[in-house]
């Protein structure tokens, strides 16, 4: 069988990444384009400037297609994965009626207020589908149920008048919906000219970005959990029941129609905590690392690997990005003494991300009842052997990373493989296209240290410091008035 190809688009918060992937799950080509900095015209508003999402997607696709030298007829389709929880307002002609609201924008979760200029409202994937195809269609699995009137039992727009009244969005202003794996349209002549894509190429529905990432990570079996490392870190379990949301998790629509993902409380800012630390240790350090032929991450990893589990008592609360409703939450490093170095600080941040997510997953497991025996880790942070070992030590179970850790692009490609009949169903496509690469198992001595720190101190640290952080926030706010 000759190779066939699928294009996977991962339109994220910071960049658009596109990949050309074959039927075995091998990434043959990839390209990316950064997004521009967000704009905040008022406090709490976080917007994508101008037409940045489409501009970034165009640029990334153009780069990839320019480097493709194969037979274009072997490209079966393009799967579109885009950021969830954003809010998009479109004019009747499909163009933007207002800047795209980021998932960090407080208005993205406020009740809909109608306006004559708004022809349609939907998600980022609906908008990008329109730009690619000219069709006003989207995947129901990215129409987030807390922002739009989704019936999560039937995977359609709700017919319940009470639900419709709660959201207040006229039915005529909602896009037509498809299921993951449906063909939503075909690349238009205009989009082909702007991107280099073959005209008429099928554009396939996927789901929300975390669900597509879960599919591309192979999270379709029971007793397996996924730790998704990104700008937002979360953990997930898969299942067949539409469980009511709990205090420790919510139920998300999967990339497989009529299956569900249970998603834990997460960490806002996520792996950006690592990026932040790199940015503040100084240009001299970065220059020194570069001159030695290494990256900053490689130098810091060597230093952190020499630090014992528990970072000699240095604990971090990874709350650098507070939610709009709890602005008093702040990041904390506590327990410094003369032993501590930048290697301690770097390791402590890694341990904090792992312990916070271990506790969040445990809370969800207690409610959902599925106890995982394997943990898949995806996202850029999984490239760090030290972080992978810390995660395995903290979680206490077999931990794996896959050959492809840019799992959203692979998940989008899997959707195309099913939609175009290359594979009969999602499990068959996952078995053929998702492959484990490395396995980590807990080191017993490290496991004991983390168990003692976490159960003895760390779990209680947030409520213990909450009053102090709240008082500090109120005092600073009062002083600035």
């Amino acid at each position: 069988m000759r190779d066939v190809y699928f294009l996977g688009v991962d339109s994220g918060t910071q960049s658009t990444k596109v990949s050309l992937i074959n039927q075995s799950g091998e990434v043959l080509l990839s390209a990316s384009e950064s997004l521009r900095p967000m704009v905040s015209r008022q406090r709490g508003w976080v917007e994508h400037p101008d037409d940045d999402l489409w501009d970034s997607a165009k640029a990334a696709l153009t780069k990839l297609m320019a480097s493709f030298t194969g037979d274009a007829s072997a490209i079966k389709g393009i799967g579109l994965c885009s950021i969830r929880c954003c809010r998009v307002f479109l004019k009747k002609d499909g163009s933007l009626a207002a800047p795209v609201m980021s998932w960090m924008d407080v208005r993205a979760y406020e009740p809909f207020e109608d306006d004559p200029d708004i022809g349609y409202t939907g998600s980022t994937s609906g908008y990008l589908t329109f730009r690619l195809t000219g069709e006003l269609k989207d995947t129901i699995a990215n129409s987030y149920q807390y922002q739009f009137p989704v019936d999560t039992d039937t995977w359609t727009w709700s017919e319940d008048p009470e639900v419709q009244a709660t959201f207040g969005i006229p039915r005529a202003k909602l896009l037509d919906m498809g299921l993951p794996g449906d063909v939503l349209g075909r690349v238009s002549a205009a989009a082909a000219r702007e991107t280099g894509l073959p005209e008429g190429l099928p554009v396939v529905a996927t789901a929300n970005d975390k669900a597509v990432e879960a599919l591309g990570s192979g999270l379709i079996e029971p007793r397996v959990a996924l730790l998704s490392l990104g700008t937002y870190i979360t953990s997930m379990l898969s299942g067949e029941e539409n469980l009511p949301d709990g205090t420790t998790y919510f139920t998300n629509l999967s990339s497989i129609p009529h299956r569900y993902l249970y998603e834990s409380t997460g960490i806002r800012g996520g792996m950006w905590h690592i990026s932040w630390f790199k940015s503040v240790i100084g240009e001299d350090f970065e220059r020194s690392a570069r001159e030695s032929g290494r990256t900053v991450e490689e130098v810091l990893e060597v230093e952190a690997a020499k630090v014992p589990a528990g970072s000699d008592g240095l604990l971090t609360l990874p709350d650098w990005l507070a939610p709009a409703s709890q602005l008093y939450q702040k990041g904390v490093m506590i327990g410094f003494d003369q032993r501590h170095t930048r290697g301690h600080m770097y390791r402590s941040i890694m341990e904090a991300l792992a312990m916070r997510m271990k506790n969040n997953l445990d809370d969800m497991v207690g409610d959902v009842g599925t106890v995982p025996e394997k943990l898949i880790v995806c996202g850029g942070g999984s490239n760090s052997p030290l972080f992978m070992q810390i995660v395995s030590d903290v979680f206490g179970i077999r931990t794996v990373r896959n050959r492809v850790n840019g799992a959203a692009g692979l998940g989008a490609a899997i959707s195309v493989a099913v939609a175009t009949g290359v594979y009969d169903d999602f499990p068959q496509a996952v078995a053929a296209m998702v492959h484990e690469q490395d396995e980590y198992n807990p080191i017993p001595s490290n496991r004991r240290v983390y168990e003692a720190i976490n159960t003895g101190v760390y779990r209680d640290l947030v409520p213990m410091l909450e009053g102090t952080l709240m008082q500090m926030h109120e005092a600073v706010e009062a002083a600035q008035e």
Side-chain angles (χ1 to χ4, degrees):
M1 175 184 175
R2 71 165 187 154
D3 272 0
V4 293
Y5 310 119
F6 317 107
L7 283 167
V9 177
D10 176 10
S11 175
T13 299
Q14 299 180 53
S15 67
T16 301
K17 298 175 282 291
V18 295
S19 303
L20 184 80
I21 300 171
N22 68 10
Q23 73 274 13
S24 299
E26 298 172 297
V27 179
L28 306 177
L29 291 173
S30 60
S32 64
E33 181 72 16
S34 295
L35 292 171
R36 292 157 56 192
M38 300 280 193
V39 175
S40 182
R41 293 182 290 141
Q42 291 187 31
R43 185 174 182 179
W45 293 17
V46 186
E47 300 171 338
H48 290 277
D50 302 323
D51 207 357
D52 198 32
L53 289 177
W54 174 238
D55 289 342
S56 174
K58 278 193 305 184
L61 286 166
T62 301
K63 288 179 190 176
L64 184 139
M65 292 307 299
S67 63
F68 177 66
T69 58
D71 180 3
S73 68
I75 303 176
K76 306 297 286 185
I78 178 170
L80 182 61
C81 166
S82 188
I83 332 165
R84 67 180 179 181
C85 302
C86 300
R87 175 167 272 173
V88 182
F89 293 138
L90 304 179
K91 296 178 182 178
K92 288 185 178 178
D93 65 0
S95 62
L96 288 175
V100 173
M101 298 177 196
S102 162
W103 59 272
M104 295 178 278
D105 193 312
V106 295
R107 297 168 299 161
Y109 310 94
E110 292 175 351
F112 175 76
E113 292 185 16
D114 206 356
D115 186 287
D117 286 342
I118 299 174
Y120 304 94
T121 182
S123 73
T124 52
S125 54
Y127 174 59
L128 292 174
T129 296
F130 172 77
R131 294 307 301 257
L132 282 169
T133 67
E135 301 281 351
L136 288 160
K137 295 181 179 179
D138 196 6
T139 170
I140 194 72
N142 198 25
S143 291
Y144 199 60
Q145 57 263 37
Y146 304 118
Q147 296 168 296
F148 300 97
V150 178
D151 185 328
T152 55
D153 287 322
T154 63
W155 290 51
T156 59
W157 291 129
S158 175
E159 299 295 333
D160 186 333
E162 242 181 79
V163 172
Q164 293 173 350
T166 298
F167 287 93
I169 305 173
R171 177 64 184 85
K173 296 194 175 186
L174 292 169
L175 303 181
D176 291 336
M177 288 289 134
L179 295 174
D182 285 353
V183 175
L184 297 178
R186 294 179 180 272
V187 171
S188 66
R193 287 192 300 271
E194 291 189 88
T195 62
L197 291 170
E199 183 178 349
L201 190 71
V203 177
V204 175
T206 64
N208 60 82
D209 52 356
K210 290 299 182 186
V212 181
E213 189 175 52
L215 178 66
S217 299
L219 183 67
I220 61 173
E221 299 174 355
R223 305 188 78 78
V224 176
L226 174 68
L227 180 63
S228 168
L229 304 175
T231 309
Y232 180 74
I233 295 178
T234 188
S235 58
M236 289 175 267
L237 301 165
S238 67
E240 298 182 3
E241 291 183 76
N242 185 13
L243 299 177
D245 290 346
T247 57
T248 64
Y249 74 97
F250 70 90
T251 298
N252 192 6
L253 301 185
S254 167
S255 280
I256 302 176
H258 303 291
R259 287 185 60 87
Y260 298 90
L261 292 172
Y262 314 125
E263 186 171 330
S264 75
T265 306
I267 302 175
R268 291 167 59 89
M271 297 308 294
W272 173 80
H273 288 80
I274 299 288
S275 302
W276 166 84
F277 185 71
K278 288 179 354 191
S279 73
V280 300
I281 57 176
E283 294 180 3
D284 289 344
F285 181 76
E286 184 176 353
R287 188 181 306 110
S288 174
R290 191 168 54 247
E291 288 172 354
S292 71
R294 296 179 293 175
T295 65
V296 172
E297 291 93 336
E298 288 170 337
V299 175
L300 287 171
E301 180 131 341
V302 169
E303 294 181 359
K306 297 174 183 176
V307 174
S311 299
D312 287 323
L314 183 62
L315 299 178
T316 299
L317 296 183
D319 294 316
W320 267 239
L321 180 61
S325 60
Q326 297 174 306
L327 292 176
Y328 62 87
Q329 285 191 2
K330 299 293 179 184
V332 174
M333 281 189 170
I334 188 170
F336 279 108
D337 62 38
Q338 74 280 2
R339 294 171 297 173
H340 293 122
T341 65
R342 64 186 171 220
H344 285 82
M345 296 173 70
Y346 194 66
R347 184 178 186 115
S348 179
I349 292 171
M350 290 181 170
E351 292 174 339
L353 297 174
M355 285 193 289
R356 173 71 62 85
M357 290 313 305
K358 157 69 172 169
N359 295 335
N360 290 351
L361 177 61
D362 283 351
D363 290 342
M364 177 171 67
V365 163
D367 287 342
V368 172
T370 299
V371 180
E373 297 172 349
K374 180 177 84 170
L375 178 68
I376 305 167
V377 183
C378 70
S382 66
N383 290 324
S384 163
L386 175 61
F387 193 32
M388 287 294 298
Q389 187 61 59
I390 288 172
V391 167
S392 181
D393 293 342
V394 169
F395 280 74
I397 56 177
R398 183 168 76 92
T399 301
V400 302
R401 61 180 171 194
N402 293 332
R403 191 180 302 164
V404 176
N405 66 17
L410 180 55
I414 289 170
S415 294
V416 180
V418 175
T420 56
V422 174
Y423 293 109
D424 294 335
D425 53 32
F426 285 95
Q428 186 186 56
V430 167
M433 298 176 69
V434 180
H435 310 283
E436 288 184 12
Q437 177 168 289
D438 298 303
E439 176 180 314
Y440 293 80
N441 289 288
I443 297 171
S445 58
N446 290 353
R447 174 71 187 135
R448 287 192 293 273
V449 170
Y450 289 128
E451 185 84 12
I453 292 172
N454 196 18
T455 58
V457 180
Y458 196 79
R459 282 194 71 103
D460 298 327
L461 203 52
V462 170
M464 187 186 307
L465 293 175
E466 187 171 33
T468 299
L469 292 174
M470 194 175 297
Q471 288 177 354
M472 183 177 71
H473 175 74
E474 290 171 353
V476 172
E477 287 285 293
Q480 291 175 344
E481 288 179 358

